[in-house]
Amino acid sequence: GDSVTQMEGPVTLSEEAFLTINCTYTATGYPSLFWYVQYPGEGLQLLLKATKADDKGSNKGFEATYRKETTSFHLEKGSVQVSDSAVYFCALSDSAGGFKTIFGAGTRLFVKA
Amino acid sequence: DAEITQSPRHKITETGRQVTLACHQTWNHNNMFWYRQDLGHGLRLIHYSYGVQDTNKGEVSDGYSVSRSNTEDLPLTLESAASSQTSVYFCATASGQGAQTQYFGPGTRLLVL
């Protein structure tokens, strides 16, 4: 079945550092890919998404490119801020799974001032 | 603004008791989902519904039930609470078919003693 694997955390960075959180997926169809973010005490919210190969999703300085050849959707940000401290979830949804969303285990990011 | 509300936000109960967690949405979305979030497991799907009178089991449905009598509400019932059901529970909605963005409620933290 479909699955999502993302790098284990926690990831600890200093403010203004470069961020990469790796995400790879397994899917039988042609999934849409998502990054969700969860701030402390809140539910998840969409950060960005891409619906087909080579699409780049972007939002709030974060970017991720849908790479079909490597089945990856890595999250990047050029300069993180303390306010980016949160848990980040990679996810996929495709027709083979009835369009249910499959989430990775989440990666916790701590950004130090 | 449209929103998803969950109640209660925190609940302590005893083993064997029946517990119902409420989820109410004003997005007018057809699709509603219940997840549980546990450390190291990410989000796991419990039950979901694609419309009124429709309910489906997710990957961890044992010991849980749902009913959908209107568009706005999808209550989650723990028939006989067990300590293994201590978790944070999230309700989510999506607008329709296809790989849709999910919108999450703030969560209910449940402790079963």
Side-chain angles (χ1 to χ4, degrees), chain A:
Chain A
D2 294 355
S3 65
V4 175
T5 302
Q6 59 184 107
M7 62 188 290
E8 290 189 22
V11 173
T12 303
L13 296 173
S14 296
E15 210 165 20
E16 300 183 4
F18 185 85
L19 168 71
T20 299
I21 300 178
N22 291 335
C23 172
T24 57
Y25 68 90
T26 302
T28 52
Y30 298 92
S32 293
L33 302 175
F34 304 81
W35 277 101
Y36 287 84
V37 59
Q38 183 181 31
Y39 298 104
E42 299 183 8
L44 281 69
Q45 56 186 276
L46 179 71
L47 180 59
L48 53 85
K49 69 178 182 181
T51 58
K52 62 182 187 296
D54 299 324
D55 270 1
K56 177 185 286 187
S58 61
N59 186 27
K60 300 182 181 179
F62 291 89
E63 294 183 339
T65 301
Y66 189 139
R67 301 287 189 198
K68 189 170 184 292
E69 64 275 13
T70 55
T71 61
S72 65
F73 192 55
H74 304 320
L75 182 68
E76 297 181 336
K77 186 175 185 182
S79 176
V80 294
Q81 305 300 312
V82 172
S83 57
D84 294 326
S85 297
V87 182
Y88 293 83
F89 292 89
C90 186
L92 71 80
S93 176
D94 76 30
S95 58
F99 293 111
K100 296 188 295 293
T101 300
I102 307 299
F103 291 89
T107 301
R108 184 175 294 277
L109 170 66
F110 292 105
V111 180
K112 302 180 296 185

